Amino acid sequence: MNSVIVNRDGQAKSYAIDDLPLSIGGEGSEVALPTVDSPTTVAYIGFENGDFFVQPADPSQPTPDVTVNGLPLNTSRWIAEGDELSAASTHIWFRLKGGNLLVTVEVRNSVTSPNQVPMTAASRDGEMTVTPIPFSPRWQSPPPRRRYRIRLRLITALAVLALLAAGAWFVMTAHTVRVETLPGAEKIDVEGGLALKIGGRYLLRPGTYTVGAEHPGYLDLRTELVVGPQTPPVVQFELQPLGASLAIRSRPVDGATVFVDGTEIGTTPVDNHQLSAGFHSVELRAPLHLPYANDLEVKPGAEPITLEIDLEPNWAPIAVASNPQGATVLLDGESFGTTPLTGEVESGSRVVEIRRGGFKPYTRRMEVTTGEMVDLGTVQLVPLDGKLAVTSAPDGATVTIDREFRGTTPIQIDVRPDTHHELKLSLSGHSTYSTTVSVGAGKLTSLNVTMEVLTGEVIISSQPPQAEVLIDGVPKGKTEQRLELDTQPHEIVIQLEGYVPFRTVVTPQVGIPQSVRADLREEGPAGLPKRVESPQGVEMILVAPGRMTMGASRREPGRRANEVLRDVEITKAFYLAVREVSNQEFREFKSAHMSGAFGGQNLEIDHHPVVNVTWQNAALYCNWLSQKMSLPPVYIQRGGTLVARRPMPNGYRLPTEAEWALAARAASTTDEQKYGWGNALPIPLEGGNYGDLSAAKTLDGSLPNYRDGYPATAPVGSFQANAVGIFNLGGNVSEWVQDLYALAPTTPGSVEKDPSGPLTGAYHVIRGASWMDTTVTELRLSFRDYGDSARPDVGFRIARNAQ
């Protein structure tokens, strides 16, 4: 297991990875410097992705006299064997041994690396050992590493060495081969690959080559030579003497394809084809005739040879008709004519097709025998199916034809033409629709059905009474009333000035009254609107200032090393969107954006959260909203990237990490909340959208005994809002926040006011669990992730200053 051992004045103390980061500074620091009187922290030692690193306490204001190997410590850097850190006349030596970091503290007038450091490991008295959980960001680029320049002279030397090595490799691996012919040819060539000729021999690498040779009175040679471990040092080829010229005629047809020794030489008639002396095979092939094959002996210097070949017929007559006539006939996929027709077809197994517009294709396989008539008679063609296009208001009705399920509206269906069919449409919350339809052959008939709504009674009340009622966002008067609603799920919001809105979803039932009662809670602070809307109509709720402790205790199950405890205070109220930005809203800004799919699950649904979006595009979306409201943009280009202006103007933006944590864990409660649903496991029913049983196949694993009904993303604004009135801060999708990522250690006893993260960094912070998360670590609201690229489980929500 990795650890850090600190040695000072002959005393050694051991720290586990879970104890990191370790502070370097005055008295009270884990690595104390004798020459620093104040309790100031000047640097930290950390561990990530299997390596140790050191960084200044405040990267934006590094301490000038803190150096590593003589260079100022201005930013994070990886620790290497033998590195030296100097601060206030104290020298710290780093050694790496067996995955552990050995730290030696010395006060010296002249700096000399110690030859030997006595080390003994000791555990902290009274402290419980916590097994660290390795922390790896998902789908992230690795942090940048140092690049080194290579001098031109070194490059040239390396190139020369490479050429010498290549030459030596060729000589060591090549074979020496002499190529000869009988009789000896006047000209011999070896082609293919690198063939180096030295005297009468060739230096050849293993492989395939082509040998060519020419000699008077002999046929030209062109053959293949394969060079390998078994290739002899001398390879001989025998040249074939010229024999005679060959002429071929075919009857009763010309145009037969001719093959000599298996090689095609043309079509009949063939004249003056040169043959070598010896035996040769001759083949002829012609349509509608049997193949011809024979052997031929040619003697050296023979007279010209002429072959007269009678080809045997291999066909039968065919007759095809259709009703109606004028249909196209295809034989083995190739056009053969139109009906009615007669012709000749080659013997064997054949496939005939008959096609005509407005009718279904006719296909038949037949066996043809030479000389026997093939009469298919008159083929009765069957008219094409009719097409029935069915739409409904609303969409999504189930369609059955003749009691067979055919899909959901809108849909286009093929049906047997000129026949009466029983059509039924059914939709939850609506009466079933039935009718009889008939469609002509090849015709399209359209049917639009308005589904009759079924209703149920809902009784609505509140305390205090006379609160405003909204059904699916539409005002419906005050509480203490009865409403008739269609039997579909409805979002009911009950709100009253000065109180936190009550939200729930109800599905009315025919003949069964249902009651909804809201016990409203007061909200504040006074003096500011409690709710505002974005230019796209997204509700944003006021979050009051507050103080909280971010991070998690080292003893909390699932805690990560980057969840350092830190006291923060938000001094100004701010507005935060009650839900994530949806696909539909983001596409109003960037129409070409695709949230895509994951594991076969569609992530493109309009009212689901946008995902696969980068932090930069989220920031540009916020600037777009600011422009629509004539507000100053929060994000500007600096050094080729987007950064937030400081102080932040009153435009739309992403929440800071501290604002997000306040809204998720501390607002309107007395203690920091642990999970999105509360402070204890297991997850209650309707506790949020996580990696549940319905997502098991998509994720190759799931939370046991929990089902939220969504295998991927859920609609924005789903499930129960938290105490502030905000949805899904702990589920559905993880969320980009404004801060650049850092370990964020703090001085004990200090309180950070309105923190907004470091000024520089490679990654941005990601907060909150998602539909892909299945472990206690990820489900906790203190879990900190980070990234630099888009992911299928990361979206965002918008924020604004309240003043």
Side-chain angles (χ1 to χ4, degrees):
M1 178 182 295
N2 301 103
S3 64
V4 179
I5 302 174
V6 179
N7 185 283
R8 175 185 169 188
D9 300 329
Q11 299 294 321
K13 191 167 187 178
S14 177
Y15 295 89
I17 295 302
D18 203 36
D19 295 324
L20 272 61
L22 301 182
S23 59
I24 302 175
E27 196 65 27
S29 300
E30 282 88 353
V31 183
L33 306 179
T35 55
V36 177
D37 296 327
S38 66
T40 302
T41 297
V42 298
Y44 289 92
I45 298 173
F47 182 84
E48 189 161 345
N49 294 332
D51 292 316
F52 294 92
F53 66 92
V54 62
Q55 70 175 40
D58 185 354
S60 63
Q61 295 182 342
T63 305
D65 62 347
V66 178
T67 64
V68 175
N69 300 333
L71 299 176
L73 181 62
N74 296 327
T75 185
S76 298
R77 59 166 287 153
W78 302 107
I79 295 176
E81 170 70 22
D83 278 355
E84 171 202 0
L85 184 147
S86 301
S89 300
T90 298
H91 302 281
I92 298 175
W93 299 90
F94 296 111
R95 296 178 60 200
L96 297 170
K97 185 174 182 180
N100 299 322
L101 177 65
L102 310 182
V103 182
T104 302
V105 182
E106 292 186 3
V107 180
R108 304 170 64 91
N109 293 327
S110 61
V111 181
T112 304
S113 176
N115 293 323
Q116 185 175 3
V117 181
M119 292 292 175
T120 60
S123 301
R124 294 184 178 180
D125 294 335
E127 287 200 355
M128 180 179 67
T129 302
V130 179
T131 302
I133 302 175
F135 181 77
S136 296
R138 295 169 291 184
W139 302 294
Q140 309 305 329
S141 305
R145 296 284 188 167
R146 182 181 303 171
R147 296 184 179 179
Y148 300 90
R149 293 184 178 177
I150 302 177
R151 298 180 179 275
L152 180 60
R153 186 176 299 172
L154 177 58
I155 294 175
T156 303
L158 290 175
V160 172
L161 288 175
L163 289 174
L164 292 174
W169 169 80
F170 177 81
V171 172
M172 295 295 292
T173 59
H175 295 264
T176 301
V177 178
R178 177 187 292 277
V179 179
E180 298 178 349
T181 63
L182 293 175
E186 293 184 351
K187 179 181 179 182
I188 298 177
D189 293 317
V190 178
E191 301 174 355
L194 181 58
L196 182 61
K197 187 173 183 180
I198 302 176
R201 297 180 178 271
Y202 289 89
L203 204 57
L204 304 175
R205 286 268 303 131
T208 301
Y209 298 83
T210 300
V211 175
E214 297 177 6
H215 193 67
Y218 291 83
L219 292 176
D220 292 345
L221 172 71
R222 191 161 188 83
T223 188
E224 185 179 87
L225 170 63
V226 178
V227 177
Q230 305 303 320
T231 302
V234 178
V235 179
Q236 288 186 337
F237 297 96
E238 185 175 355
L239 301 180
Q240 300 298 318
L242 289 173
S245 65
L246 175 66
I248 301 177
R249 304 289 184 268
S250 63
R251 293 190 298 262
V253 294
D254 288 332
T257 303
V258 180
F259 297 85
V260 175
D261 298 329
T263 301
E264 181 180 342
I265 65 169
T267 58
T268 58
V270 171
D271 292 298
N272 197 32
H273 177 72
Q274 295 298 316
L275 294 177
S276 64
F279 288 92
H280 300 276
S281 65
V282 177
E283 296 179 69
L284 272 70
R285 300 174 193 171
L288 303 178
H289 292 78
L290 292 174
Y292 168 87
N294 206 348
D295 291 332
L296 179 67
E297 181 181 5
V298 179
K299 295 183 178 181
E303 295 294 325
I305 300 172
T306 300
L307 298 179
E308 300 282 351
I309 299 173
D310 292 317
L311 299 175
E312 295 184 21
N314 187 39
W315 56 272
I318 185 172
V320 184
S322 68
N323 184 22
Q325 298 181 356
T328 300
V329 179
L330 292 90
L331 189 64
D332 295 334
E334 296 185 1
S335 179
F336 192 64
T338 57
T339 60
L341 67 77
T342 58
E344 298 170 345
V345 59
E346 194 164 14
S347 299
S349 181
R350 300 286 178 259
V351 176
V352 62
E353 294 180 76
I354 304 175
R355 297 180 181 179
R356 193 180 194 279
F359 293 84
K360 294 182 179 179
Y362 169 87
T363 303
R364 176 177 170 180
R365 180 176 291 276
M366 57 187 183
E367 294 297 326
V368 180
T369 302
T370 301
E372 295 184 5
M373 177 69 181
V374 178
D375 189 352
L376 298 183
T378 300
V379 176
Q380 185 66 45
L381 298 179
V382 178
L384 289 173
D385 289 336
K387 295 186 181 295
L388 177 63
V390 184
T391 58
S392 67
D395 289 341
T398 298
V399 179
T400 63
I401 294 181
D402 299 329
R403 300 183 181 181
E404 180 184 353
F405 172 75
R406 303 300 292 272
T408 58
T409 59
I411 189 173
Q412 183 171 290
I413 310 165
D414 291 337
V415 296
R416 187 155 47 92
D418 304 316
T419 303
H420 292 289
H421 300 278
E422 180 185 1
L423 172 69
K424 285 188 177 181
L425 275 70
S426 58
L427 182 65
S428 176
H430 298 76
S431 296
T432 300
Y433 173 86
S434 299
T435 189
T436 300
V437 296
S438 179
V439 184
K443 303 295 184 182
L444 173 63
T445 297
S446 297
L447 179 66
N448 183 42
V449 178
T450 300
M451 305 296 291
E452 181 182 352
V453 177
L454 298 175
T455 62
E457 184 180 45
V458 179
I459 305 167
I460 302 177
S461 61
S462 68
Q463 181 60 41
Q466 297 303 306
E468 183 183 10
V469 178
L470 290 88
I471 308 295
D472 298 328
V474 178
K476 292 292 184 181
K478 303 294 184 180
T479 53
E480 326 313 321
Q481 65 167 314
R482 297 170 180 262
L483 295 174
E484 283 288 331
L485 302 176
D486 62 79
T487 55
Q488 292 287 317
H490 295 279
E491 182 190 51
I492 298 179
V493 178
I494 301 173
Q495 57 188 25
L496 186 64
E497 185 71 21
Y499 293 84
V500 177
F502 171 87
R503 300 171 186 269
T504 189
V505 176
V506 171
T507 302
Q509 300 182 38
V510 177
I512 304 177
Q514 298 187 60
S515 296
V516 175
R517 176 179 173 82
D519 293 319
L520 302 177
R521 293 176 298 171
E522 295 183 0
E523 74 172 2
L528 290 169
K530 297 176 178 61
R531 281 179 173 73
V532 295
E533 287 189 353
S534 76
Q536 294 177 302
V538 176
E539 182 181 356
M540 303 181 70
I541 198 166
L542 183 68
V543 181
R547 178 173 172 174
M548 68 173 295
T549 300
M550 294 179 63
S553 167
R554 291 177 177 175
R555 293 176 174 82
E556 180 174 300
R559 175 192 183 270
R560 298 286 191 179
N562 66 348
E563 299 172 23
V564 180
L565 290 174
R566 47 194 289 232
D567 292 327
V568 300
E569 181 178 359
I570 302 299
T571 63
K572 299 176 182 179
F574 61 95
Y575 289 105
L576 186 64
V578 300
R579 58 173 177 78
E580 308 101 328
V581 175
S582 70
N583 280 306
Q584 181 177 356
E585 290 157 354
F586 192 79
R587 281 195 286 262
E588 291 181 25
F589 157 67
K590 191 172 184 179
S591 60
H593 178 75
M594 299 287 288
S595 288
F598 185 88
Q601 299 297 324
N602 182 16
L603 305 179
E604 289 282 337
I605 302 172
D606 282 351
H607 59 289
H608 284 220
V610 64
V611 293
N612 279 320
V613 59
T614 63
W615 183 94
Q616 287 76 15
N617 276 333
L620 290 173
Y621 171 84
C622 293
N623 279 357
W624 176 72
L625 290 179
S626 299
Q627 182 181 9
K628 293 175 76 70
M629 293 284 289
S630 299
L631 296 172
V634 173
Y635 302 100
I636 58 174
Q637 288 283 347
R638 180 177 296 161
T641 187
L642 282 174
V643 297
R645 297 161 64 185
R646 299 193 183 188
M648 290 183 292
N650 193 28
Y652 289 92
R653 58 179 174 83
L654 299 173
T656 66
E657 183 178 11
E659 290 173 340
W660 189 97
L662 179 67
R665 302 188 63 197
S668 299
T669 64
T670 56
D671 298 309
E672 285 78 14
Q673 187 170 317
K674 188 173 182 179
Y675 303 104
W677 62 86
N679 289 312
L681 292 169
I683 307 174
L685 184 66
E686 299 293 328
N689 182 19
Y690 306 103
D692 71 326
L693 293 172
S694 67
K697 291 184 179 179
T698 303
L699 303 177
D700 294 329
S702 66
L703 291 164
N705 304 318
Y706 179 68
R707 186 180 296 274
D708 56 49
Y710 294 98
T713 57
V716 295
S718 301
F719 300 96
Q720 186 69 35
N722 70 359
V724 188
I726 301 174
F727 295 88
N728 294 315
L729 280 169
N732 207 12
V733 294
S734 301
E735 301 177 11
W736 290 114
V737 296
Q738 182 156 291
D739 302 35
L740 287 163
Y741 175 76
L743 287 180
T746 59
T747 303
S750 64
V751 177
E752 297 179 74
K753 293 190 176 182
D754 301 317
S756 56
L759 294 173
T760 59
Y763 306 102
H764 283 90
V765 178
I766 300 171
R767 294 300 300 263
S770 79
W771 63 271
M772 300 181 74
D773 292 328
T774 59
T775 69
V776 171
T777 293
E778 298 158 334
L779 295 177
R780 297 172 309 112
L781 290 174
S782 62
F783 173 66
R784 299 180 76 218
D785 201 353
Y786 62 88
D788 65 352
S789 57
R791 287 178 8 196
D793 69 329
V794 175
F796 68 99
R797 71 179 70 224
I798 58 174
R800 262 192 72 187
N801 297 341
Q803 295 174 313

